Amino acid sequence: SQQGEEDPQALSIQEGENATMNCSYKTSINNLQWYRQNSGRGLVHLILIRSNEREKHSGRLRVTLDTSKKSSSLLITASRAADTASYFCATDAWTQGGSEKLVFGKGTKLTVNP
Amino acid sequence: DGGITQSPKYLFRKEGQNVTLSCEQNLNHDAMYWYRQDPGQGLRLIYYSQIVNDFQKGDIAEGYSVSREKKESFPLTVTSAQKNPTAFYLCASSPTGPGVGYNEQFFGPGTRLTVL
């Protein structure tokens, strides 16, 4: 089944550095979303990019989408310790019943060291 | 965690027991979802509901049941038929259900279920 796969699985950086996470998927999509999950908590939506968009910004976040390569990247600039979390990409897919659903990857665990 | 609440935060169950996880939202969202998350894994869809009194199976519905009698509430029952229920369960909602113009999902804080 279609699934976003994040890369790397884990990333450790120092405060102030930039963090880049990548997501690859298998089939065409309508949109791709990025979510953050702090340890033991629910997910928080970060940004949604549609298939006809190539780049989107939100604060210190920059998301790119390359539909020809079926990949997306999430860049967090000037990282802070509070950015420590797992980051998931989610793509739209189809259930066996023919309805649309979100499919999540396994996530990138980001650690920002003070 | 927005306007979605889940209770309890931690739940312990003996083998053979059914347990019900609560999910309530005050966001006036039509669609609600239940996901299961295992350690180091992504989320897997258990059930979803687009409107009241209607719900659909997700990818791993076996051993689970749901109801949607009210727009605000979407409880999940983990039955004794679920062979490996220990996991982190997340409830989510979105303004509209699946389809063109798919929206972001808003998540609750989760319930951690442990089978003793």
Side-chain angles (χ1 to χ4, degrees):
Chain A
S1 62
Q2 174 185 7
Q3 182 179 26
E5 292 286 343
E6 292 90 345
D7 172 62
Q9 291 185 352
L11 180 62
S12 182
I13 60 175
Q14 296 299 123
E15 245 183 345
E17 294 181 340
N18 295 343
T20 299
M21 289 157 270
N22 303 296
C23 171
S24 59
Y25 56 91
K26 297 177 183 175
T27 62
S28 61
I29 58 172
N30 293 316
N31 63 68
L32 184 145
Q33 303 181 42
W34 284 92
Y35 288 81
R36 183 187 77 229
Q37 184 181 34
N38 290 86
S39 181
R41 305 293 298 275
L43 277 68
V44 175
H45 181 265
L46 295 176
I47 201 162
L48 181 152
I49 186 165
R50 301 202 183 277
S51 58
N52 61 353
E53 298 175 310
R54 292 295 168 260
E55 188 170 311
K56 211 163 181 181
H57 296 257
S58 177
R60 293 184 296 112
L61 305 180
R62 173 180 168 246
V63 168
T64 61
L65 179 64
D66 187 334
T67 53
S68 66
K69 295 182 179 178
K70 293 186 172 61
S71 68
S72 173
S73 67
L74 170 67
L75 169 67
I76 304 174
T77 60
S79 64
R80 306 166 182 168
D83 295 327
T84 294
S86 291
Y87 292 82
F88 295 87
C89 69
T91 54
D92 54 334
W94 297 93
T95 67
Q96 291 183 348
S99 296
E100 193 174 357
K101 64 177 181 180
L102 279 186
V103 178
F104 289 82
K106 295 182 180 180
T108 291
K109 188 171 184 178
L110 173 66
T111 302
V112 181
N113 301 298
Chain B
D1 298 335
I4 300 181
T5 58
Q6 290 185 243
S7 62
K9 187 174 177 64
Y10 299 97
L11 186 57
F12 298 91
R13 188 194 93 172
K14 293 182 180 179
E15 285 193 23
Q17 286 183 334
N18 293 355
V19 290
T20 298
L21 283 59
S22 169
C23 177
E24 303 278 333
Q25 55 101 357
N26 62 3
L27 301 169
N28 200 33
H29 286 171
D30 286 323
M32 298 186 74
Y33 312 83
W34 274 105
Y35 293 93
R36 170 182 171 138
Q37 185 178 31
D38 293 285
Q41 301 296 311
L43 278 64
R44 291 184 291 170
L45 182 65
I46 305 173
Y47 267 98
Y48 66 96
S49 169
Q50 296 178 255
I51 57 173
V52 175
N53 293 322
D54 181 68
F55 48 84
Q56 304 294 329
K57 292 182 178 179
D59 298 317
I60 54 166
E62 186 175 352
Y64 301 98
S65 66
V66 294
S67 64
R68 186 86 186 275
E69 297 177 0
K70 299 187 299 182
K71 188 175 185 178
E72 304 79 23
S73 178
F74 192 40
L76 173 74
T77 297
V78 184
T79 74
S80 57
Q82 170 50 237
K83 298 305 179 188
N84 185 23
T86 295
F88 189 50
Y89 290 87
L90 287 160
C91 179
S93 70
S94 65
T96 60
V100 177
Y102 202 73
N103 293 298
E104 68 182 88
Q105 292 186 9
F106 295 77
F107 283 81
T111 292
R112 189 166 298 281
L113 173 63
T114 302
V115 175
L116 304 174

